[in-house]
Amino acid sequence: MNQLSYDIEILDEPIEFDGRRHEKSVKIVSYYAQKKVEERYLGLIYPEKIYDDIEAGKPINIDNCYVKNFNINEYRKQRKLGEQELVIIHGVSAENAFFDCDSFTDFSYVKFKDKADFDHAIFSHGSLSFIHSIFETETIDFSSCNFHSHQTLFQYAEFYGETLKFEASNFDGELISFINAVLKCKTVTFKRVNFYSGKVKFHFTEFGKGNKIFEKIKFYGSVLDFHRVIFNSGKIDFRRSLFGDTHVTFQESEMTSGKLTFRLATFKGGDLTFRRMDFGKDEANFDHISFGGRKISFESCTADVISIANSDIHATLDLRVKRANVIDLSDTYLHSITDMSFQKPDSLNQLIIKGTRNLGKIIIEWKKHRVRELILNQKDEKNALIAEQFNIIKDNFAKNGQYTDEDWAYVYFKRYELKSNRESGLIKYRNFKPIVHLFYFLKLLVFDKMGLYATSPNRVFISMVFTIIGFGGIYMFFDMLQLGELVNSVGAPDHLGVIDKSLYHSAITFFTIGYGDYYPTGLNRFVSGSEGWVGVFMMSYFTAAFVRKILR
């Protein structure tokens, strides 16, 4: 809570401001945490004088004035107007004014024309109402105001003009309400506003097609409510804002275009929810956020880009979007559960997790949620960074016990690591490029095609069968060209033909059995020696793949 308080003393001493003389003055002493911080003097003006000027159609000038118990409803009663009859004020200047009351300061059902300047005004005690007020001025200025009212109500108020400014104001009350307000100014700024610990409600508010600036706001209350707000187009800026143990909601709100950013914001606790929000066709940026809250939810929202890069997320992160083009979690620390179990497989087009430190768990499935495509859709990314992302998701699958998914992620990690190594080799050994390509294709054949990097014993077994048949074909080919022969050393009692003996010799050579009933001559000796080495390697490869499956 704000610890600012005031002592007020009415003096029978005249005071003058800008040529305007007041017969009485008011001494106002400000205290912060019971320590005196300021003493100043204002002119005293009575509400009846303001009522007379309103009735006469004159602009209201109460700069540097103290006004107590201003109540436009009292004006209506005195003039026998309807309770909700609109009162027109042809301009109001209330710079450095002090509005005091016993219970209510009331500007409800007022139409402000020409000018509305409350810069550095103070609204103290009771409640403040601008309910159903209409502002039709170029600039509506509530900058650097202090709202100490128990309730500050702008419900159903309508703001039209170039600029609406609440910049650097302080709202020290239990409720600040803009419910159902219309803020259709080209620029709306709440920059550096301190909301302290009150409840702030903007739900059902409609903004215009301009920028909405909430940069560097401070909020320590329980609820900051933007649900079902129509933001239209334009930038929405919450950069460097500070939130306490707060529930911040944008549920079911919508914007047509323009970037929403919480970059460099800090959340000490509470929840942040964007459930079923439509972010339009632009980016929602949450980069460099420190979030110590309980939950961040983007469930069923629609966006082009959701960027949560370079952040520290201790909360549960719900990314089950309805539709998004890109989710960027690069260089982010994920300490808890990150839920990406979309209802539809095509909900997301691209997932970026380069540099991500996953200290919790990511809930996602390789096949159902198209993880391979989500990462490979980064068309312009380097192979090394693609490999890194597959490795991150592989470690996540291992942590979750999703071993089949882990195998596929591992295969793609190794494939893109191999591609990256080839790229590096072509740069490092630029004079030996054919050799670099040769080693790449050999590794691709042996480690990938033969056994999917030891993740598939079935693939290794099939490769073994084709290898035996392949070597058998070589023996037959050399026999036909009379470059080598398979000779029977025991008189050939079984009378095997060239095909049978070639396949038989290939099998016993591959498995290094060595019965000795057939031995090679000519070039077949070299082929047999090579096949024996290949057989030892592939049997070891099969054993490794098989044991890997069994142990898990």
Side-chain angles (χ1 to χ4, degrees):
M1 289 289 292
N2 189 358
Q3 301 183 59
L4 193 64
S5 59
Y6 304 94
D7 273 349
I8 298 169
E9 182 182 357
I10 297 177
L11 307 174
D12 289 323
E13 299 175 6
I15 193 170
E16 186 173 319
F17 293 102
D18 299 326
R20 294 170 53 246
R21 179 182 172 86
H22 301 275
E23 296 303 322
K24 291 187 178 183
S25 58
V26 179
K27 177 184 176 182
I28 300 176
V29 182
S30 304
Y31 296 89
Y32 184 82
Q34 299 182 346
K35 293 183 179 180
K36 182 178 178 180
V37 292
E38 184 186 26
E39 180 179 309
R40 60 175 173 154
Y41 293 84
L42 300 177
L44 176 64
I45 190 167
Y46 293 100
E48 286 73 16
K49 172 64 170 63
I50 302 174
Y51 299 157
D52 291 341
D53 288 344
I54 293 173
E55 185 175 29
K58 297 179 180 179
I60 308 302
N61 188 335
I62 50 176
D63 293 347
N64 300 294
C65 288
Y66 173 85
V67 185
K68 186 169 184 179
N69 292 328
F70 177 87
N71 191 324
I72 201 67
N73 200 40
E74 184 65 28
Y75 168 85
R76 290 191 187 89
K77 289 179 181 178
Q78 293 176 8
R79 274 67 179 176
K80 297 182 179 180
L81 302 176
E83 289 185 2
Q84 297 182 0
E85 188 171 338
L86 201 64
V87 176
I88 297 176
I89 297 180
H90 295 274
V92 58
S93 182
E95 291 187 22
N96 296 297
F98 194 109
F99 293 88
D100 199 3
C101 67
D102 294 323
S103 60
F104 229 96
T105 297
D106 185 13
F107 284 91
S108 60
Y109 291 95
V110 170
K111 186 173 186 178
F112 295 90
K113 303 192 68 160
D114 303 322
K115 186 175 184 179
D117 186 357
F118 291 87
D119 184 28
H120 282 85
I122 295 173
F123 299 89
S124 181
H125 303 112
S127 295
L128 171 65
S129 174
F130 282 88
I131 293 175
H132 282 286
S133 291
I134 301 173
F135 295 81
E136 292 183 349
T137 71
E138 183 174 350
T139 300
I140 304 138
D141 195 350
F142 285 92
S143 298
S144 301
C145 287
N146 283 300
F147 296 90
H148 299 301
S149 307
H150 174 68
Q151 294 182 335
T152 300
L153 308 176
F154 286 90
Q155 294 173 193
Y156 296 95
E158 300 176 32
F159 300 85
Y160 304 97
E162 289 291 321
T163 306
L164 170 60
K165 298 195 294 185
F166 283 88
E167 185 170 342
S169 290
N170 296 299
F171 288 87
D172 179 24
E174 291 189 11
L175 176 63
I176 301 94
S177 176
F178 286 83
I179 295 173
N180 285 299
V182 177
L183 286 70
K184 289 199 172 182
C185 299
K186 290 184 179 179
T187 300
V188 176
T189 176
F190 285 81
K191 185 177 181 180
R192 299 197 311 277
V193 165
N194 194 334
F195 286 105
Y196 290 99
S197 57
K199 293 181 179 179
V200 180
K201 298 185 176 183
F202 280 87
H203 58 267
F204 304 112
T205 297
E206 182 178 359
F207 288 87
K209 298 179 180 180
N211 293 332
K212 302 91 186 172
I213 303 170
F214 294 84
E215 183 180 354
K216 296 182 181 179
I217 67 168
K218 294 181 180 179
F219 185 84
Y220 301 96
S222 59
V223 176
L224 180 56
D225 189 345
F226 284 91
H227 89 266
R228 292 191 178 181
V229 169
I230 299 174
F231 287 102
N232 282 304
S233 59
K235 180 174 67 174
I236 307 172
D237 190 353
F238 283 87
R239 284 181 301 168
R240 298 180 182 274
S241 293
L242 176 62
F243 301 89
D245 189 11
T246 304
H247 177 68
V248 183
T249 177
F250 287 79
Q251 183 168 315
E252 298 182 22
S253 293
E254 60 182 73
M255 53 190 296
T256 54
S257 63
K259 182 177 180 180
L260 182 146
T261 178
F262 277 80
R263 196 172 190 270
L264 294 166
T266 299
F267 293 83
K268 298 293 185 181
D271 300 334
L272 174 61
T273 179
F274 297 92
R275 293 180 68 242
R276 296 192 293 277
M277 180 172 176
D278 186 352
F279 288 96
K281 58 185 179 181
D282 290 311
E283 177 182 354
N285 185 288
F286 303 87
D287 295 351
H288 298 277
I289 277 187
S290 174
F291 199 96
R294 295 183 294 267
K295 186 175 182 180
I296 312 173
S297 177
F298 293 89
E299 181 189 351
S300 299
C301 78
T302 304
D304 181 48
V305 177
I306 299 175
S307 180
I308 316 176
N310 296 284
S311 296
D312 192 17
I313 308 297
H314 289 265
T316 299
L317 181 57
D318 188 344
L319 290 171
R320 294 176 296 166
V321 297
K322 179 180 180 180
R323 185 77 187 96
N325 185 35
V326 179
I327 291 179
D328 186 356
L329 297 172
S330 56
D331 299 304
T332 287
Y333 282 80
L334 301 173
H335 295 267
S336 187
I337 294 173
T338 302
D339 192 349
M340 302 185 71
S341 55
F342 321 111
Q343 293 296 319
K344 296 181 179 180
D346 60 348
S347 295
L348 181 63
N349 182 52
Q350 188 179 142
L351 173 64
I352 304 173
I353 52 173
K354 58 187 178 184
T356 301
R357 302 293 184 269
N358 180 25
L359 306 178
K361 290 184 177 181
I362 301 174
I363 301 175
I364 195 169
E365 295 180 33
W366 177 267
K367 185 176 181 180
K368 180 179 179 180
H369 301 118
R370 303 165 43 254
V371 175
R372 181 181 71 90
E373 289 83 358
L374 294 182
I375 295 176
L376 292 182
N377 282 342
Q378 302 171 45
K379 301 298 184 184
D380 299 324
E381 194 58 89
K382 294 180 180 179
N383 287 321
L385 292 176
I386 294 292
E388 175 196 340
Q389 293 175 75
F390 279 121
N391 193 33
I392 291 169
I393 205 70
K394 172 193 76 70
D395 291 341
N396 176 73
F397 287 142
K399 189 185 301 183
N400 295 350
Q402 297 170 253
Y403 296 124
T404 300
D405 291 348
E406 180 201 0
D407 285 347
W408 280 113
Y410 178 70
V411 168
Y412 278 89
F413 158 58
K414 298 302 290 184
R415 283 177 178 174
Y416 280 86
E417 182 184 54
L418 185 60
K419 290 182 179 182
S420 176
N421 291 339
R422 179 176 63 169
E423 291 174 351
S424 301
L426 290 173
I427 296 172
K428 186 175 181 179
Y429 304 106
R430 60 175 60 92
N431 295 326
F432 302 94
K433 290 184 178 181
I435 296 176
V436 173
H437 285 297
L438 176 62
F439 273 101
Y440 168 77
F441 285 111
L442 286 175
K443 290 179 181 179
L444 183 67
L445 174 65
V446 173
F447 297 118
D448 189 350
K449 303 306 179 183
M450 281 188 177
L452 293 177
Y453 293 96
T455 63
S456 174
N458 292 336
R459 176 76 72 94
V460 180
F461 179 78
I462 293 171
S463 298
M464 290 167 65
V465 172
F466 277 102
T467 300
I468 292 171
I469 295 172
F471 274 102
I474 295 174
Y475 296 135
M476 287 186 284
F477 182 69
F478 283 174
D479 187 279
M480 291 169 55
L481 298 178
Q482 297 183 349
L483 297 175
E485 188 180 358
L486 298 177
V487 180
N488 189 285
S489 61
V490 293
D494 45 10
H495 304 289
L496 293 178
V498 65
I499 296 177
D500 295 334
K501 69 180 181 181
S502 294
L503 292 175
Y504 170 73
H505 177 75
S506 179
I508 62 175
T509 303
F510 183 92
F511 291 110
T512 66
I513 295 174
Y515 289 126
D517 49 349
Y518 283 92
Y519 63 89
T521 62
L523 289 179
N524 279 340
R525 291 178 175 176
F526 173 76
V527 177
S528 296
S530 299
E531 185 178 8
W533 185 88
V534 171
V536 170
F537 172 78
M538 294 193 69
M539 284 190 290
S540 301
Y541 198 6
F542 175 80
T543 302
F546 184 76
V547 170
R548 187 172 186 269
K549 286 288 186 183
I550 293 298
L551 290 179
R552 295 194 306 169

